[in-house]
Amino acid sequence: MIKSHLLKNLSYLGLIIASFLLAFSIPVSAGNASLTVASCPPWKHEGDKATSEKMLNMCQLDSQKITESLGNSFSIEKSNQHVLLQKDATPANLIEKLNTLRGTVGKGDTLFVYQMSHGGILPHKYKGYDTVGEVFAYYTVERPDVSNAVSKGQWLGARDLRDEISRFAVETGANVLIIIEACHAESAGHELMHNPIERLNDDEKIAYLFSAGAQQTSTFTDDNTQARFTSDLVLALNNAASGTSLADIFSAVRETTHRGALSKCNKLGKDTLKSVMGSVDYYFDNCLQAPNYFDPKGLMLDLKKL
């Protein structure tokens, strides 16, 4: 009887020790996470301090609002909300943050990446080869040499962003949603679709949201205090009913942003509007903003607001 009782206690003790060791040997997923990267460099405005200050305020406001909105909408703990703003918004810091998040975001979780920057189609090098494609202007105090800004790690090519995100998903098993707030954002779509790392037959899903089409400017709100698409997305997320999919939310935002940009142009003074409409390229670029997306595996349908 005593021997049986002793064996039973030892068995319980063994289970406790095994559970303890298991807890420390297996990485524990901390759930969803967000990474906000926002760069509004002062050189863009050629010494215009007032405009630079306004852009800095916009970066700060949009970063704060989108981070809070994503956190509230998709159950992201404060400790899992990461922000790289202005001088911290560098390609090296982005990669470092992704490496850190590999230890907390796991299979079945979703990493939400929001990137605000200037963007444009430029010649640059990708893995040592010459190419032309979308480049994101991360933070530098002075305007860098455009010809080698990507090679020197000052700016980030869309292909390089794609590779970093894809490796993160492959290595962690996590889903990743990337929101790109930049002029001509959808220009990155070509590079993103031709992805040598993407594994469509595995569980992880990757989706990209673009604030504007390939030949379009990402416009500002009517009061010029926020990026229009970001402002519309935050408002839609905050007002959406529980259970609404991100796909449905984004569908409404696309129309809201497009109509807002068109309305702002139509409110211009008669002479200004005449001048704007006198150039097809300028009008299409500045007045017809239409956000788009690339979601090959339906991640946006899976993501539902709490």
Side-chain angles (χ1 to χ4, degrees), residues 63-248:
S63 297
Q64 175 189 341
K65 285 184 174 293
I66 192 67
T67 301
E68 290 176 350
S69 185
L70 290 172
N72 293 332
S73 299
F74 300 108
S75 186
I76 304 173
E77 297 290 337
K78 288 281 188 182
S79 59
N80 273 353
Q81 298 174 18
H82 304 271
V83 178
L84 297 173
L85 178 64
Q86 290 297 79
K87 63 181 178 60
D88 293 325
T90 66
N93 284 345
L94 168 70
I95 293 170
E96 183 180 345
K97 276 294 181 184
L98 288 175
N99 287 335
T100 299
L101 286 165
R102 279 174 168 81
T104 57
V105 180
K107 189 176 180 64
D109 298 329
T110 299
L111 171 64
F112 296 81
V113 179
Y114 172 83
Q115 177 188 275
M116 169 184 269
S117 70
H118 298 295
I121 302 173
L122 295 171
H124 61 282
K125 288 191 180 296
Y126 169 68
K127 296 188 180 300
Y129 294 94
D130 291 328
T131 187
V132 177
E134 182 73 2
V135 170
F136 304 113
Y138 277 35
Y139 189 84
T140 55
V141 176
E142 303 293 335
R143 180 185 177 91
D145 182 345
V146 174
S147 67
N148 60 20
V150 173
S151 299
K152 292 177 69 173
Q154 296 167 308
W155 291 358
L156 188 67
R159 289 178 176 88
D160 296 303
L161 175 64
R162 172 201 68 192
D163 291 353
E164 292 296 336
I165 293 298
S166 296
R167 274 193 289 269
F168 181 90
V170 168
E171 293 170 9
T172 63
N175 305 312
V176 188
L177 178 86
I178 304 93
I179 304 168
I180 298 179
E181 175 68 74
C183 291
H184 320 120
E186 198 185 359
S187 295
H190 176 78
E191 289 98 321
L192 301 175
M193 290 177 193
H194 296 84
N195 188 347
I197 303 175
E198 182 78 14
R199 306 182 305 170
L200 291 176
N201 60 337
D202 283 329
D203 293 336
E204 68 271 6
K205 300 179 180 181
I206 301 175
Y208 289 83
L209 308 188
F210 307 112
S211 63
Q215 302 298 325
Q216 296 169 345
T217 297
S218 278
T219 63
F220 301 139
T221 51
D222 288 357
D223 61 3
N224 292 315
T225 60
Q226 288 185 262
R228 183 179 299 281
F229 168 70
T230 298
S231 175
D232 290 340
L233 179 59
V234 166
L235 188 62
L237 283 170
N238 293 346
N239 291 339
S242 177
T244 306
S245 73
L246 181 59
D248 287 334

